[in-house]
Amino acid sequence: MLSEKYRDGETVERLREIYSQEGVVVLEGFLEPDFADGVREGIAEIQGKNLWYQVLCGDPSFYDETIDCFSEEGRGCHFAFRYDMFPVCNMPLRSFLAMGGFTSRRDIRESLSCLNSEKLRRIAEAPVLELGAGNALIRLSTFLGSDGFASLMSSLCSVPSPFLNVTAFVSRFLGGHYLSLHTDGEEGRLCNFVLQLTDFWLPHWGGDLVLLNYGSRHPERTFVPQFNSLIIFKVPRPHVVTSVAAVCPKPRYACSGWVQKK
């Protein structure tokens, strides 16, 4: 699954030094090409079965210059987002449906009395069970939760792997979807990662991941979606996903997540 070049110790050591100095590193061609293509094709099943969960919170037009947007009060006022997601690794439905701002699929809500209760319970604990057995997203879920991925992230971030836990989800950004300024500074989080899964993208379509200096509103690093590239950055770190343009003819797909202490 993992590209051969990232199994090489010297390559990982070089990337670790970059991450240590800059707090961000990019692994281009992260997955083996055939597997990356399979993951992209696996998203089509989510699309075809309409398994997306809506993620919606806040008013993107609200802004108050008198509130520090990096303070707890400021984050509550400024943080807003809108996109669709599908959990793939260590993210049971209860972990985000109870947080507010997230809405479950209508078919789940309307079928509570019709679905077999045991099946519903299993789906709630592991949403990937709704996918067909051959879907590459199931293999991706297993890989992200594996000791191998934890070991790689441990090496890159210089954190003992037995103390790491990985959470991940596939996201879909359509026209008008965005993720506003925030830091992901929740207790225990060590770094975020974004695996880009859109095979072709033009800069004027938006949907860029933008990293900012702490305390600054000026972009420091901007990442236009590039298929099969993995971006890893240390948190807390101010960042946004810019709004996808209304003229964009296709969704922006990615697998995003974070590594945190168990």
Side-chain angles (χ1 to χ4, degrees):
M1 297 181 187
L2 179 65
S3 177
E4 184 175 353
K5 61 183 174 180
Y6 298 119
R7 303 174 202 162
D8 177 69
E10 292 185 5
T11 299
V12 172
E13 176 62 21
R14 177 176 55 81
L15 294 171
R16 187 197 66 78
E17 292 179 2
I18 295 173
Y19 181 82
S20 176
Q21 295 172 6
E22 303 179 13
V24 57
V25 68
V26 181
L27 282 63
E28 297 182 355
F30 177 65
L31 300 175
E32 293 177 340
D34 289 346
F35 182 56
D37 289 340
V39 169
R40 177 182 55 193
E41 294 166 3
I43 294 175
E45 184 178 356
I46 302 177
Q47 189 82 4
K49 292 182 177 179
N50 193 26
L51 301 180
W52 296 108
Y53 293 84
Q54 295 176 327
V55 185
L56 173 64
C57 181
D59 177 3
S61 65
F62 176 83
Y63 190 76
D64 184 345
E65 285 280 0
T66 66
I67 299 177
D68 174 11
C69 62
F70 294 117
S71 68
E72 184 176 354
E73 179 187 23
R75 284 197 302 271
C77 294
H78 292 289
F79 189 32
F81 44 85
R82 183 185 184 94
Y83 58 95
D84 301 323
M85 62 95 78
F86 182 78
V88 294
C89 183
N90 293 327
M91 184 178 277
L93 300 189
R94 55 179 165 75
S95 70
F96 66 89
L97 296 179
M99 294 170 59
F102 298 86
T103 57
S104 62
R105 296 199 323 268
R106 183 174 292 106
D107 69 303
I108 287 286
R109 296 199 305 271
E110 293 179 351
S111 302
L112 287 175
S113 60
C114 303
L115 284 175
N116 177 278
S117 59
E118 177 61 20
K119 178 182 178 181
L120 184 61
R121 184 192 65 78
R122 289 188 291 108
I123 290 173
E125 289 301 308
V128 291
L129 291 175
E130 289 195 274
L131 301 175
N135 193 307
L137 285 169
I138 297 177
R139 293 175 60 205
L140 178 64
S141 173
T142 301
F143 170 63
L144 294 176
S146 69
D147 292 340
F149 184 71
S151 177
L152 174 64
M153 298 300 285
S154 172
S155 299
L156 291 172
C157 305
S158 300
V159 177
S161 59
F163 302 104
L164 299 186
N165 185 59
V166 176
T167 300
F169 60 91
V170 173
S171 62
R172 176 181 70 170
F173 281 69
L174 303 171
H177 285 185
Y178 65 95
L179 185 61
S180 75
L181 183 64
H182 64 294
T183 64
D184 275 331
E186 286 84 350
E187 183 177 0
R189 288 192 186 180
L190 303 172
C191 68
N192 281 9
F193 61 87
V194 179
L195 174 61
Q196 302 285 6
L197 294 174
T198 306
D199 59 350
F200 176 79
W201 198 262
L202 294 177
H204 66 278
W205 288 347
D208 299 336
L209 171 64
V210 181
L211 306 184
L212 302 94
N213 282 322
Y214 204 93
S216 171
R217 295 176 190 156
H218 299 289
E220 185 178 70
R221 296 284 299 271
T222 298
F223 301 94
V224 176
Q226 179 182 354
F227 181 69
N228 197 20
S229 64
L230 182 75
I231 305 162
I232 306 170
F233 60 97
K234 190 179 299 183
V235 294
R237 177 72 177 267
H239 60 284
V240 305
V241 174
T242 61
S243 178
V244 173
V247 298
C248 184
K250 61 192 297 185
R252 170 198 185 271
Y253 296 118
C255 179
S256 303
W258 52 88
V259 176
Q260 63 189 44
K261 297 176 183 178
K262 290 185 178 179

